[in-house]
Amino acid sequence: MAVERYQRALLLALLAEENLRLVSVWSPTLLTGLCDFFQLHHQEILTELEASRNPLAARRARDILRTWQGGTDLSCLWPQLAVISCWADGPSRAAADELRRYFPGTVLQAKGLLATEAFVSVPLLPGRDPVLAAGCHFFEFLSPAGDCLLCHELSTGKRYEVVVTTGGGLYRYRLGDIVEVTGFAGALPCLRFAGRGEAVSDLCGEKLHGAWVGKILDDLLGSCRFAMLAPERSSGNRGYVLFVETKALPAGLACRLDLAMAENPNYQLCRQNGQLGPARVFRIRQNGALSYTRRLVEEGMRIGEVKPTALSRLSGWQHHFDGELVA
C-alpha cells in the first residue's frame, strides 16, 4: 500500500537521525501514524536499519534495541527531541493527546491558526492557547447570531468565525475557520481552533456543520484515538454513523448522540419526518486513522494534505474500517 511504503521510508530516514531536536508538521496524525507503524513492525524496521551501509544508522538500530522496552513511550527513538509543533485543537486534539503519550518528555506546541490567506494566531505564552496575530492583518469576528465584532469585544468561552482584511488585497474575507476564545493575553484574545465552518453535511435538509459536530463529539467522548461522524446513504439506512476507536464506549452512546444532534432543529425535523434514521455507532477495532488516511490517499489526496475531521461528507466508510456496528 502506498501509505505503508511512505511510512516505512520516512521512518527509516528519521530513525537514522540521532540528533533530531525539533519536529514540525501540520497534522499530528502524520507522526502518530509513524509511531503506530513502528510498534507494529519494529523488528523488521530495526533489522533493515541495522543492515544499512550507513554505520551511524546501524548503530542507531542497536541503540534503540538496547533502550526500548516496548510500550507506548517512544522517547528513546529520538532522545534529544525537545519540541513537536503541530495542530492540537479541534479534530486534531485526540491525535495530539496520543503524541503526548508517545513522547511524554517532549513539549508539544500547538500551532496557531495559519491559513493560506492569513496568519491568524501564533503560539506565544507557555500553557496558553495561541494569541491573535493583531499586527499582521485587520481582524473581525462573526458571532453565531451574525454580529460583527472587533477583538476587544469578544467574550471568553464564545465561538466566532474569523473575517480578515489583509494588505495583500483581501477585504473582509471570511476564512471559514471557527475559533473559541479561551482568555486574553493583555488586550489580545487567546484563540483555540474549533473547526471549519463550511464543512456541512446535508442529506435531506438537516445541515450539520463540522465545528458543531466536533463540539458534540468532544462532550460525549473526550479524547479518543479516532472519532468521526459520516452520512450513510445506503437504502434503508439513511442517517448518520459515528465511527469511533476507543478503549471503552460510553453507555448509551448512540442514543445520547442522537439527542445531542436533535438540538439542531433541522436534524430534529428530519428525524421526526422519518427522512433520517437514528444515529448509530460503528466501533473501530484498530488503525482508524490509518484506514481513514488510506482511503483519502487512494482517492487522490496527497498524504500531507490529509486532515482529521469530526464530520465527513463521504459515505461508505464501513467498508474501510476494521470493526462493526454496535448500536
Side-chain angles (χ1 to χ4, degrees):
M1 297 294 244
V3 173
E4 285 83 351
R5 289 197 301 270
Y6 170 85
Q7 289 177 325
R8 177 183 294 275
L10 180 55
L11 190 55
L12 284 168
L14 291 175
L15 287 174
E17 297 294 329
E18 65 177 339
N19 296 320
L20 193 66
R21 290 177 170 84
L22 167 67
V23 172
S24 178
V25 295
W26 291 115
S27 174
T29 57
L30 182 63
L31 288 185
T32 57
L34 292 180
C35 294
D36 291 343
F37 190 86
F38 176 81
Q39 289 193 310
L40 288 172
H41 306 285
H42 62 273
Q43 290 183 335
E44 55 194 88
I45 288 289
L46 294 176
T47 298
E48 185 173 348
L49 191 65
E50 190 173 16
S52 168
R53 294 181 180 180
N54 181 345
L56 293 178
R59 180 173 59 80
R60 286 281 293 133
R62 292 191 293 271
D63 289 344
I64 293 169
L65 281 169
R66 186 180 67 254
T67 56
W68 187 54
Q69 304 299 319
T72 59
D73 188 342
L74 300 181
S75 301
C76 68
L77 300 187
W78 299 287
Q80 299 188 59
L81 182 60
V83 177
I84 297 174
S85 172
C86 64
W87 294 326
D89 300 313
S92 296
R93 191 182 72 172
D97 288 342
E98 191 171 354
L99 271 185
R100 291 185 177 97
R101 292 190 287 271
Y102 276 131
F103 302 100
T106 300
V107 173
L108 193 144
Q109 183 188 70
K111 287 187 183 296
L113 178 50
L114 310 176
T116 303
E117 301 88 347
F119 275 66
V120 178
S121 63
V122 292
L124 185 63
L125 302 174
R128 302 288 297 276
D129 285 303
V131 176
L132 180 68
C136 294
H137 315 287
F138 180 76
F139 293 97
E140 298 170 276
F141 299 86
L142 289 178
S143 73
D147 299 318
C148 189
L149 306 172
L150 299 179
C151 66
H152 68 280
E153 299 175 302
L154 305 183
S155 299
T156 299
K158 301 295 185 181
R159 294 187 173 192
Y160 305 91
E161 180 184 348
V162 180
V163 180
V164 63
T165 298
T166 74
L170 293 178
Y171 178 70
R172 307 195 81 183
Y173 179 82
R174 295 177 65 170
L175 286 176
D177 291 317
I178 306 298
V179 295
E180 179 179 344
V181 178
T182 60
F184 283 80
L188 297 178
C190 298
L191 304 176
R192 178 179 298 165
F193 177 70
R196 294 284 294 170
E198 77 273 16
V200 178
S201 179
D202 192 11
L203 291 178
C204 49
E206 69 279 10
K207 294 181 174 61
L208 302 184
H209 291 256
W212 181 76
V213 169
K215 179 66 165 57
I216 289 176
L217 299 189
D218 282 347
D219 291 343
L220 292 178
L221 298 168
S223 181
C224 59
R225 287 181 61 87
F226 183 89
M228 180 184 73
L229 188 73
E232 176 55 61
R233 293 181 172 86
S234 61
S235 59
N237 288 306
R238 195 176 181 86
Y240 284 86
V241 177
L242 172 61
F243 297 89
V244 57
E245 181 181 357
T246 185
K247 292 181 179 179
L249 285 177
L253 179 58
C255 181
R256 293 168 59 199
L257 173 63
D258 204 52
L259 288 172
M261 291 168 63
E263 293 181 10
N264 175 339
N266 295 317
Y267 179 84
Q268 184 181 40
L269 183 61
C270 291
R271 288 281 290 111
Q272 290 174 344
N273 291 341
Q275 295 170 285
L276 291 175
R280 295 176 296 160
V281 174
F282 183 101
R283 185 169 189 176
I284 301 171
R285 296 188 185 95
Q286 60 181 356
N287 299 328
L290 175 61
S291 301
Y292 167 78
T293 301
R294 184 184 293 149
R295 177 185 181 180
L296 297 182
V297 170
E298 288 173 352
E299 295 185 2
M301 185 177 289
R302 295 192 305 176
I303 191 169
E305 297 173 338
V306 175
K307 303 177 181 178
T309 184
L311 175 66
S312 171
R313 287 177 285 189
L314 298 175
S315 61
W317 283 104
Q318 294 181 49
H319 306 296
H320 296 271
F321 292 118
D322 174 20
E324 59 185 351
L325 280 167
V326 295

